[in-house]
Amino acid sequence: MTISRLLAQMTVSDSAQSIPWYSLLFGRGPDAHPMDGLVEWYLADTFGVQVWVEPERAGTSCMVLDDDDLDARLRLLDGAGIENGGIRPATAFRILPVVDPDGNRIVFAGS
């Protein structure tokens, strides 16, 4: 058995609020809308992010995304008006934390 694909899932309360926010975060709209309450962004051939509407669980998700240019990511976030914690040092890399409108945490990590 081989696992060949990963979709991280962010649980949100409202797609009308979340789809535009995640579209700004990723710099483009979703790649798929496979069913009611679910949209997907494919960030590479083997991984992506799902945004799933489930109000009772909204705000409890967290994901870490490796990014090869945190400075460019910060400029994109600032240009899109997405609040962020700024780039912070960590042990062997830097991080750029973001919180979505439901309180889910997204952390970009890189050098």
Side-chain angles (χ1 to χ4, degrees):
M1 293 176 33
T2 301
I3 296 171
S4 60
R5 184 168 164 86
L6 172 69
L7 293 171
Q9 189 177 87
M10 305 304 282
T11 308
V12 300
S13 61
D14 177 30
S15 61
Q17 170 181 278
S18 297
I19 292 172
W21 191 89
Y22 278 92
S23 294
L24 286 173
L25 182 73
F26 295 128
R28 60 184 174 80
D31 295 301
H33 190 177
M35 59 190 248
D36 285 344
L38 179 65
V39 293
E40 298 176 339
W41 280 263
Y42 305 135
L43 305 178
D45 290 341
T46 60
F47 71 90
V49 174
Q50 294 183 319
V51 173
W52 173 246
V53 176
E54 190 176 349
E56 58 277 5
R57 288 187 47 235
T60 62
S61 302
C62 180
M63 70 176 162
V64 177
L65 299 168
D66 282 352
D67 195 316
D68 64 355
D69 191 341
L70 281 185
D71 297 306
R73 178 66 56 187
L74 178 60
R75 288 190 298 274
L76 183 136
L77 295 175
D78 287 344
I82 294 177
E83 291 185 33
N84 61 79
I87 296 174
R88 301 175 185 175
T91 53
F93 49 90
R94 301 181 304 157
I95 62 170
L96 174 55
V98 179
V99 177
D100 80 3
D102 283 298
N104 294 307
R105 176 179 283 224
I106 300 103
V107 178
F108 294 95
S111 53

